[in-house]
Structure formats: structure tokens, C-alpha cells
Amino acid sequence: SQTIHQWPATLVQPVGSPLSLECTVEGTSNPNLYWYRQAAGRGLQLLFYSVGIGQISSEVPQNLSASRPQDRQFILSSKKLLLSDSGFYLCAWSRSAGGNEQFFGPGTRLTVL
Amino acid sequence: DQQVKQNSPSLSVQEGRISILNCDYTNSMFDYFLWYKKYPAEGPTFLISISSIKDKNEDGRFTVFLNKSAKHLSLHIVPSQPGDSAVYFCAASKASGTYKYIFGTGTRLKVLA
């Protein structure tokens, strides 16, 4: 069976500090990978998606970047955090062919002070 | 531009009664729709989906209805149970190989015992 892991579960960072959130998927190969953010009282905003190693598509201009160094690893980064980066970050995967559901990880709660 | 809208931020229903959650979309190219359920501090979990070639899909207590001409879909939960209390997101996609979804802002359902 497939599982998706995210860490850390919670993170409190000062403004201007760097960020690295990691997501890994087990039990599948060549998944599509996604980073979402849920800000307080808001829906799920797609930040980045990836259809393969080194292939990253950015959905919205922002202070964040993403990388996919391995097939089942997706990393969300920032060089300098802003207050507005606070939120609940979710990683998700879907099969690259067939099946349309996205499966979400447990999320990371980021608070920037 | 919010392509997927859930105009009711919250809904309260008595246990045993029907819960109806609504979702509207604006892009006629969307051809696949999903509903997700989300508990606080957790990732969303997939509930049920529907393709644009159908107008109804049923899975146990959950039924999704699609009205393509009105660009409207709804999720019916019968009978509602206290454990159904959560935030429900609808999502829409146009099949492009990346399975990228646009999510609504969510409706918080509270089932009263």
C-alpha cells in the first residue's frame, strides 16, 4: 500500500529564517507530487506540482520554491520566510497514469513570528 | 478568479438527517470532480468522485450529483452522523495528464447529536 509522509508536523520560525519541508511517498513509482497551502479560513491553494524528477511547475508567484531530487521526494523551501508564509502545508501525490484521486499527507503547521 | 466556489462556509445538521453540500464551478472544461473530507490538523481524505459523463455517483451514505448545464455539484450524506463533522472540499479538474485540481474554499459541516 502507498503511504505519504511529511515532516515536521509543526514548525515555528522567525521572519527571515530559511525553510525546508520534506515529503516522501512510499509504495508507488513515478507519482505526480503536489504542494498545497491552506491559510487560515481559506481553501487549498496549489503551490507547486511535479510530474517527474527535476520537473517543477509553479502555480503562484511567491516566496517559496520546490525541488524534487528523487522520484518520491518533494521538498518545499524558502530562503527567507515572511509572516504571510504562515499556514498549513500539505503534500499530495497521484498516480501518473490512471486513477485521478490525490492522496494527501498529514500536513505541516508553519507559524512565522 | 475563484473557479470552484463553495458559497456556504458552514452547515449544521441534526444527526440522522440529510446533509447537502454544494459546489459551483465556472470552467466548462472541467470534467472530473471530487469531494474530500478534512479534520483539523490532518490532510484531506478522498470521499467520492464523479466524471462528467455521469450525473450521479453513490458510495454508501455518500452520493454526488452533477448538473453540467448549471455547473453545479452537490454531496449528499444520508444519514448524517456526528463523525461526519469536518470540513468538506470539492475539487475540479480538466484531464491534462497532470491531474491538477482546483479546490473550493470548503464547507464546515457540524452534525448535531
Side-chain angles (χ1 to χ4, degrees), chain B residues 11-105:
Chain B
L11 174 69
S12 291
V13 173
Q14 206 66 36
E15 180 180 6
R17 307 295 285 267
I18 184 171
S19 295
I20 301 176
L21 298 103
N22 294 304
C23 180
D24 297 293
Y25 60 97
T26 58
N27 191 335
S28 57
M29 297 296 290
F30 289 145
D31 55 11
Y32 197 77
F33 306 88
L34 306 91
W35 283 95
Y36 283 84
K37 175 181 179 180
K38 184 181 181 301
Y39 293 117
E42 294 183 10
T45 54
F46 169 74
L47 267 180
I48 193 169
S49 63
I50 188 167
S51 164
S52 60
I53 61 173
K54 294 185 175 181
D55 54 19
K56 177 183 174 181
N57 189 24
E58 191 172 353
D59 183 1
R61 296 186 298 115
F62 302 92
T63 303
V64 56
F65 295 91
L66 176 63
N67 182 333
K68 289 186 290 294
S69 60
K71 296 191 182 67
H72 177 82
L73 64 154
S74 60
L75 175 69
H76 292 210
I77 306 174
V78 183
S80 301
Q81 300 173 354
D84 296 329
S85 297
V87 177
Y88 289 78
F89 291 97
C90 66
S93 169
K94 40 188 175 181
S96 62
T98 61
Y99 303 108
K100 191 173 71 173
Y101 293 100
I102 307 298
F103 282 81
T105 51

